[in-house]
Amino acid sequence: MKKILIMSISAVLLITASCKDNNYLDIEPRDVVPTDKMFSDPALVLSVVADLYQRQLDFSSLDNGWASFADFSEAFPSENGSSFFVQRTSWGWGEWGTWDYGYIRDINLFIERATASTLKEEDKKIFIAEGRFLRAAYYFELVKRMGGVPLITKSLTYEGDALSLQTPRSKESEVYDFIISELEAIKSDLPALVNIKSRATRAAALAMESRAALYAASIAKYGAQRTPNVTLPGDEVGIPATMANAYYQKALAAAEAIISGEAGAYSLYRANSIDLSDNFAAIFTDKSDANKESIFIEDFKVGTNKVHSFTVNNQPYSRSEEGADAGRLNPSLNIVQAFEKLDNTYAPIPTVNASGDPIYYTNQQDIFAGRDARLAGTVMLPGSVFKGAAIDVRAGYQNAAGDFISTGTLPGSSTPAVGLDGPADGLEFRTQTGFYIRKYLDPVTGSGRRGRRSDVPFIRYRYAEVLLNASEAAFELGDKGKALGYINQVRNRAGLTTPLNDLTFDRIVHERRVELVFEGHTLFDMKRWRLAHIVWDGANMTVADLKSDIGSATKHNTQPFSLWPYLYQNPGSPNHNKWMFREVKLGRVTGANRFQSGNYYSQINDDILSRNPKIVKQPNQ
């Protein structure tokens, strides 16, 4: 009781003392900057727009985990807790959905406050353009996933009438039109500077415009052909086929504005003409001004909180700088064999001859010889060197009796039968497919430690994609000559020096797959071409399936396969100590990717529908 009395007296004294200063409520808090002051100082406005940049949504990135790269049978997740990627038989209706109108409101407020500010006109113009760029970027993410959505371009305030705040979905084409028109409107307000990569530039606006217009065009063309049932009566989902050509023209024009140098001197990265695989890998790690291929990036910096663990999670086990933290993202044989031969033909990785007998190789990498240089620039092959040492990938050995042995040691040796880097079925954090990821893997010492991590940037737009956008748009508009000119530039950089003299839709699909894999394009490319339900058809795969129809746009690709190297041990044979390979489907691969019509547009949550009855449901709801 005494304690309570003391506390009560103290509270009264505190209140009494506080009330002696009648103006205390007028004192501005020292840790909050008022809006008018915030938008009078360019440095403070920069901190606001930096927060908006930080909140951008990407399907894949380097700071949202390695797992977003592991889906669609292009890779296997070597982490037992992530086996669901290869065990499920379908994707949920809400998969990949987004509906963040809080972010849109914050951008709208930013644009309005910047517009009303006392900033210098040159500062104001750029900040407003950046706000509109970021808003267009998020509406692009929305329309790719949800189709037509409410277009809200000003901040809304509740004033007692909830109905006035309810906005219906726009047509899918209207959202694309908004994105394109916004980027057209602001491009001249943004700097045409190649060395600015983490903020909006003229080239970044044009690159986004080109990609968005290409998406709209292909949905219009191929939606009518392949998914005529995926529509809504009000066109909130689906784009009329008659609009396709106009969108292709816009995609081509925006891409050619970059190619012509209108937005700066961008070019394909060619810093290393000796080793084209190393050159390709360096596109994703070179942050210097020499890299004129990357256009718009998410940047990171060691020594700050803005770093990522992509290298920690995916470094080869034997080269791990953090104990057993390694090896999660394993590229599949499916994507490895998609990289064509240097004579422009497709072929499976040759494990057997025409008689079905094993082919023996002196060196592990001989089996990959004569392939597109991007293969070894994207994927770490058995025997590849990382941070000064070759990785040790060996599934065991085959003895003279033909038995495959994966236990104990190599005959007459203390060397374990299985390599330190795998592969072994179910042995997580090592490769289980026979391959490690190379794209985005940081070669700098210390990048594999949790205490340091990596600041390799994530590239959102780069020049090679712009060339492929231009090629595809020109092809669809009937200008094959122009289309070949653009696609052959990309292929030449990869060592495919014999130019293609004809072009097909299948070639375009294939080229984007191998050039842009593990960059977040796979899902949305398959969706816009309306190929997703064909390629990911839910059917189990055999080795014969795997090896057939390589290069076909409609080849089904539902389960990741592995390629395991074995050392042949038979002292009496001329093939003793040579390498042989086997295709393997891992034990955890029990599901098969099945993309259904309802997956083309993500489900809209019930709470959103209940709050706004004007929102039309998706075709799958």
Side-chain angles (χ1 to χ4, degrees):
M1 183 65 187
K2 182 180 180 181
K3 185 176 180 181
I4 294 174
L5 179 62
I6 292 172
M7 291 176 64
S8 300
I9 292 172
S10 299
V12 170
L13 290 174
L14 180 61
I15 293 170
T16 302
S18 299
C19 289
K20 288 178 179 177
D21 184 358
N22 294 330
N23 298 322
Y24 79 100
L25 290 176
D26 296 328
I27 297 173
E28 292 181 352
R30 295 181 179 179
D31 58 346
V32 176
V33 180
T35 299
D36 57 339
K37 289 187 178 178
M38 173 72 75
F39 280 83
S40 64
D41 183 342
L44 294 176
V45 179
L46 183 60
S47 69
V48 179
V49 78
D51 174 66
L52 298 176
Y53 275 111
Q54 175 67 19
R55 292 162 61 188
Q56 282 185 95
L57 178 65
D58 295 296
F59 178 77
S60 291
S61 183
L62 303 177
D63 57 352
N64 65 1
W66 57 275
S68 66
F69 298 90
D71 214 346
F72 314 116
S73 299
E74 303 292 45
F76 174 85
S78 188
E79 180 187 75
N80 292 342
S82 298
S83 296
F84 64 90
F85 278 112
V86 291
Q87 294 179 340
R88 64 187 173 196
T89 54
S90 63
W91 286 283
W93 301 124
E95 202 94 33
W96 316 301
T98 183
W99 199 274
D100 189 358
Y101 276 86
Y103 181 48
I104 288 179
R105 174 179 167 78
D106 287 347
I107 295 175
N108 285 336
L109 282 170
F110 174 82
I111 294 170
E112 291 163 8
R113 288 166 177 169
T115 302
S117 73
T118 56
L119 293 168
K120 293 178 181 177
E121 285 305 314
E122 58 264 34
D123 292 333
K124 184 186 293 190
K125 182 175 66 176
I126 292 179
F127 282 130
I128 293 171
E130 287 186 285
R132 293 171 72 180
F133 173 88
L134 291 168
R135 186 173 60 187
Y138 186 64
Y139 271 116
F140 190 15
E141 290 301 320
L142 273 167
V143 73
K144 284 191 298 185
R145 301 159 193 250
M146 315 303 292
V149 293
L151 274 172
I152 309 294
T153 58
K154 62 180 182 180
S155 60
L156 303 178
T157 302
Y158 177 68
E159 295 177 342
D161 179 15
L163 290 177
S164 66
L165 302 180
Q166 294 173 350
T167 304
R169 298 174 67 179
S170 295
K171 295 178 181 178
E172 185 170 8
S173 61
E174 290 173 338
V175 180
Y176 276 110
D177 290 344
F178 173 74
I179 295 164
I180 292 166
S181 65
E182 281 289 281
L183 295 169
E184 269 295 302
I186 63 169
K187 66 181 183 184
S188 298
D189 292 341
L190 293 167
L193 296 174
V194 176
N195 296 335
I196 294 178
K197 298 181 185 298
S198 57
R199 295 179 66 179
T201 60
R202 191 173 304 173
L206 287 165
M208 191 193 305
E209 180 183 351
S210 174
R211 189 191 292 175
L214 194 64
Y215 277 34
S218 28
I219 290 168
K221 177 174 181 177
Y222 295 106
Q225 295 178 13
R226 300 189 178 119
T227 55
N229 57 322
V230 183
T231 58
L232 286 171
D235 286 341
E236 294 87 354
V237 160
I239 299 176
T242 53
M243 300 178 74
N245 274 9
Y247 283 126
Y248 281 126
Q249 288 166 359
K250 290 177 180 176
L252 179 60
E256 288 190 322
I258 298 173
I259 294 167
S260 69
E262 178 183 313
Y266 292 91
S267 61
L268 291 174
Y269 185 82
R270 294 181 184 273
N272 184 346
S273 60
I274 305 300
D275 189 322
L276 298 183
S277 295
D278 286 353
N279 181 73
F280 188 74
I283 296 169
F284 306 94
T285 58
D286 186 352
K287 298 175 71 168
S288 76
D289 290 347
N291 191 344
K292 299 186 185 309
E293 175 153 348
S294 61
I295 293 174
F296 183 53
I297 66 172
E298 181 183 15
D299 205 1
F300 299 86
K301 186 176 182 180
V302 166
T304 71
N305 290 330
K306 186 69 174 171
V307 287
H308 60 78
S309 297
F310 189 80
T311 299
V312 176
N313 293 159
N314 301 306
Q315 59 195 324
Y317 186 85
S318 66
R319 307 303 300 151
S320 174
E321 297 177 304
E322 194 63 58
D325 207 348
R328 289 173 172 81
L329 183 62
N330 300 170
S332 66
L333 176 56
N334 314 38
I335 185 64
V336 166
Q337 70 171 11
F339 289 88
E340 66 197 270
K341 298 170 68 176
L342 293 177
D343 62 1
N344 298 340
T345 62
Y346 303 111
I349 302 296
T351 56
V352 296
N353 61 23
S355 302
D357 298 322
I359 300 174
Y360 297 92
Y361 294 92
T362 302
N363 299 301
Q364 277 188 319
Q365 296 197 353
D366 290 350
I367 194 171
F368 309 104
R371 294 260 169 182
D372 181 335
R374 289 172 293 190
L375 168 57
T378 303
V379 175
M380 209 170 291
L381 304 168
S384 292
V385 173
F386 184 67
K387 294 186 178 177
I391 59 174
D392 182 18
V393 178
R394 182 179 57 258
Y397 66 94
Q398 187 186 44
N399 62 22
D403 302 318
F404 289 96
I405 312 296
S406 297
T407 57
T409 60
L410 295 175
S413 165
S414 60
T415 303
V418 176
L420 186 56
D421 285 299
D425 200 346
L427 190 61
E428 61 181 348
F429 307 135
R430 299 159 177 82
T431 180
Q432 295 185 54
T433 64
F435 308 106
Y436 286 94
I437 186 72
R438 185 177 186 191
K439 188 178 276 188
Y440 285 121
L441 208 66
D442 190 342
V444 172
T445 300
S447 59
R449 293 200 309 264
R450 294 188 194 121
R452 178 190 183 275
R453 302 198 281 168
S454 171
D455 59 4
V456 162
F458 178 71
I459 301 177
R460 291 182 167 116
Y461 293 93
R462 62 184 175 99
Y463 187 72
E465 186 212 344
V466 171
L467 288 171
L468 294 180
N469 291 352
S471 178
E472 181 179 342
F475 170 81
E476 297 287 3
L477 291 168
D479 191 343
K480 273 195 181 182
K482 180 177 282 189
L484 283 164
Y486 291 136
I487 198 171
N488 279 329
Q489 289 184 48
V490 178
R491 292 170 59 82
N492 180 276
R493 193 261 299 270
L496 297 157
T497 54
T498 302
L500 296 176
N501 54 25
D502 192 19
L503 197 57
T504 63
F505 173 75
D506 288 28
R507 272 285 181 188
I508 287 170
V509 171
H510 165 266
E511 200 63 37
R512 286 186 74 92
R513 182 185 180 196
V514 296
E515 175 71 28
L516 303 174
V517 66
F518 303 126
E519 296 181 46
H521 293 267
T522 302
L523 172 66
F524 298 116
D525 274 347
M526 289 294 110
K527 284 178 63 173
R528 71 182 174 89
W529 288 319
R530 296 305 199 242
L531 290 172
H533 67 290
I534 301 170
V535 171
W536 301 316
D537 60 2
N540 287 335
M541 291 178 68
T542 64
V543 172
D545 292 333
L546 174 74
K547 292 183 171 184
S548 65
D549 297 329
I550 300 172
S552 166
T554 55
K555 174 181 173 58
H556 82 121
N557 185 32
T558 58
Q559 296 177 307
F561 277 76
S562 305
L563 184 69
W564 283 10
Y566 291 87
L567 198 60
Y568 186 58
Q569 295 292 279
N570 182 2
S573 166
N575 294 318
H576 177 62
N577 271 340
K578 290 187 177 181
W579 293 94
M580 57 183 298
F581 293 80
R582 299 173 71 194
E583 299 89 355
V584 174
K585 186 191 288 186
L586 298 167
R588 281 183 166 74
V589 182
T590 56
N593 292 329
R594 181 166 177 252
F595 189 99
Q596 302 172 81
S597 295
N599 291 126
Y600 275 105
Y601 296 92
S602 303
Q603 192 173 53
I604 300 172
N605 292 339
D606 288 343
D607 63 328
I608 295 169
L609 295 171
S610 64
R611 289 200 302 266
N612 184 356
K614 295 179 181 176
I615 298 292
V616 178
K617 293 181 179 179
Q618 302 287 42
N620 61 313
Q621 287 187 267

